[in-house]
Amino acid sequence: MEGLFRQGCFKKHCFQDLTMDQHCNVFGSRFHHKIKPHTKTGAAKSLKTRLVVMGNQMKKGEAYVDAFAHVPCSTACRILMSIAAALNLEMHCIDFSQAFIQAKWSALPEKAPQFFICPPLGWDEESGVVY
């Protein structure tokens, strides 16, 4: 969490100050923990924790208008790799896993809806704070 604050992704706000604004949406959040095993021994190699916004609380038409995240199927990926191999082409991969963190917030329209998250359970934070 400290890293997200350092990068400017989060700012603390008082919940009571946000309730008057019609363009505010406040969602819950939680930590997602993952244990990465060592490939040879199977012992825990590293522990990773991600902060996840609980999207199951979002309502269409209020929090979002349309949701579309196209993910190619495995057959399409295999076809592309086969064509690249047959034509001796070079392939590149792009990972957008941190697109949210790296986004330019200043480029958003002025009247864009604002989204806030409550601190996840287990995170020591004063009462009434949202990010």
Side-chain angles (χ1 to χ4, degrees):
M1 293 282 289
E2 286 87 10
L4 293 171
F5 282 108
R6 273 195 310 272
Q7 289 185 5
C9 294
F10 286 161
K11 292 180 188 170
K12 289 184 182 182
H13 298 277
C14 182
F15 180 73
Q16 285 82 14
D17 297 341
L18 302 176
T19 55
M20 303 305 258
D21 188 0
Q22 295 178 353
H23 297 289
C24 288
N25 294 299
V26 181
F27 299 105
S29 65
R30 65 180 179 85
F31 288 121
H32 176 77
H33 305 284
K34 185 173 187 177
I35 301 171
K36 293 214 168 199
H38 196 276
T39 53
K40 293 181 182 175
T41 64
K45 179 173 86 171
S46 63
L47 305 171
K48 296 197 173 198
T49 302
R50 290 186 298 165
L51 178 67
V52 180
V53 176
M54 295 172 59
N56 59 339
Q57 298 173 343
M58 296 183 181
K59 295 179 184 164
K60 188 172 184 173
E62 292 178 24
Y64 66 94
V65 177
D66 191 18
F68 179 74
H70 185 72
V71 179
C73 64
S74 59
T75 304
C77 291
R78 283 191 214 109
I79 290 170
L80 284 174
M81 288 188 276
S82 299
I83 292 170
L87 298 175
N88 199 23
L89 298 174
E90 194 173 308
M91 292 189 69
H92 297 274
C93 178
I94 298 174
D95 185 5
F96 291 106
S97 64
Q98 293 199 357
F100 176 76
I101 295 172
Q102 306 297 331
K104 302 270 189 237
W105 296 103
S106 59
L108 286 173
E110 200 173 297
K111 295 210 176 196
Q114 294 182 340
F115 296 92
F116 297 91
I117 64 168
C118 296
L121 291 175
W123 184 254
D124 193 23
E125 187 63 77
E126 53 202 63
S127 179
V129 169
V130 294
Y131 306 129

